[in-house]
Amino acid sequence: MKYALMKKFPGFTLIELLVVMSIAIILASVAVPSFDDTIKNRRLSSTTMDLLGEFEYARSEAVKRNFPVTICATTDNLTCNTKSWESGRLVFIDDGAGTPANQANGVVNGEEILKTFGSSPNAVTIRSTIFNASNYLVFYEDGSVDDVGTMVVCDDRGGVYSTYAAALNLSIIGQSRKAYDSDEELDDVVNDIAGENVECI
């Protein structure tokens, strides 16, 4: 009976426990940066696809209404007052009110606001490149635009020619397409509408 009480029970020693904990900490330190990149990549992709949907909405409204419709960058949901597209977007019927020729001018001047879109996630930036106007884009009755360019989406991993950048290319017929690394270098940097590597500005 006394022998049975003194019998040793199997279990971990303190040293074995410390070894297991050390291995777990090492594995976690390797996995966390990778997980962080995965989250950020999904955020960039989601922001890019949201922007694509917003451009398609503005284009379809122009065709449906048979009237120019503008999408622009905004901080107050009332005016086109910034070049930082991540602050928010505004879509409105652009009849060019206040201009001599009443041509679409990217300025909200009493025109009907069709829809607003909220700001993008923290640390994400959206900048227009190549376009003549950096803060607005007009879609015409046939769905076309008079200017082509690229919307570049970046985050805090950016930098010139960032392999993390995403982008949308807008053609003259008004179609938006997700940008890919399409040049001969295949350097994992997506290319703008002119075929050049995009830059995070």
Side-chain angles (χ1 to χ4, degrees):
M1 186 73 171
K2 186 182 274 188
Y3 174 76
L5 289 173
M6 294 176 63
K7 187 177 179 182
K8 290 185 178 179
F9 292 96
F12 291 108
T13 66
L14 182 58
I15 292 175
E16 289 171 329
L17 187 60
L18 289 173
V19 169
V20 170
M21 287 179 63
S22 298
I23 292 172
I25 290 170
I26 290 169
L27 290 175
S29 66
V30 170
V32 167
S34 176
F35 184 64
D36 187 49
D37 276 348
T38 300
I39 291 173
K40 288 182 176 181
N41 288 342
R42 286 189 179 170
R43 187 180 296 153
L44 281 181
S45 179
S46 174
T47 301
T48 304
M49 295 314 292
D50 286 347
L51 190 64
L52 175 63
E54 293 165 15
F55 274 38
E56 286 301 318
Y57 168 77
R59 184 182 188 225
S60 67
E61 286 296 312
V63 173
K64 181 175 76 174
R65 295 169 183 271
N66 198 34
F67 214 87
V69 168
T70 291
I71 182 169
C72 68
T74 183
T75 60
D76 61 8
N77 292 334
L78 296 171
T79 57
C80 303
N81 61 354
T82 182
K83 296 178 182 179
S84 302
W85 287 76
E86 70 274 9
S87 300
R89 277 78 58 202
L90 167 69
V91 179
F92 65 98
I93 297 174
D94 196 346
D95 63 9
T99 62
N102 282 337
Q103 294 177 339
N105 61 356
V107 177
V108 183
N109 196 353
E111 292 114 326
E112 179 184 356
I113 294 174
L114 300 176
K115 200 166 188 177
T116 59
F117 299 96
S119 59
S120 300
N122 290 338
V124 173
T125 61
I126 306 172
R127 298 289 185 272
S128 68
T129 61
I130 303 177
F131 293 106
N132 290 324
S134 59
N135 70 326
Y136 73 91
L137 181 68
V138 181
F139 288 93
Y140 293 97
E141 298 89 326
D142 60 357
S144 67
V145 291
D146 62 2
D147 199 9
V148 299
T150 300
M151 303 298 293
V152 182
V153 184
C154 295
D155 60 19
D156 56 4
R157 298 170 297 173
V160 178
Y161 306 131
S162 173
T163 57
Y164 295 106
L168 286 181
N169 289 326
L170 188 76
S171 69
I172 197 69
I173 62 173
Q175 280 189 333
S176 302
R177 298 201 177 188
K178 192 173 178 183
Y180 294 95
D181 181 13
S182 55
D183 58 17
E184 294 180 1
E185 295 178 21
L186 294 178
D187 49 12
D188 291 329
V189 180
V190 298
N191 300 122
D192 62 23
I193 194 76
E196 303 295 328
N197 286 346
V198 299
E199 297 182 32
C200 292
I201 304 170

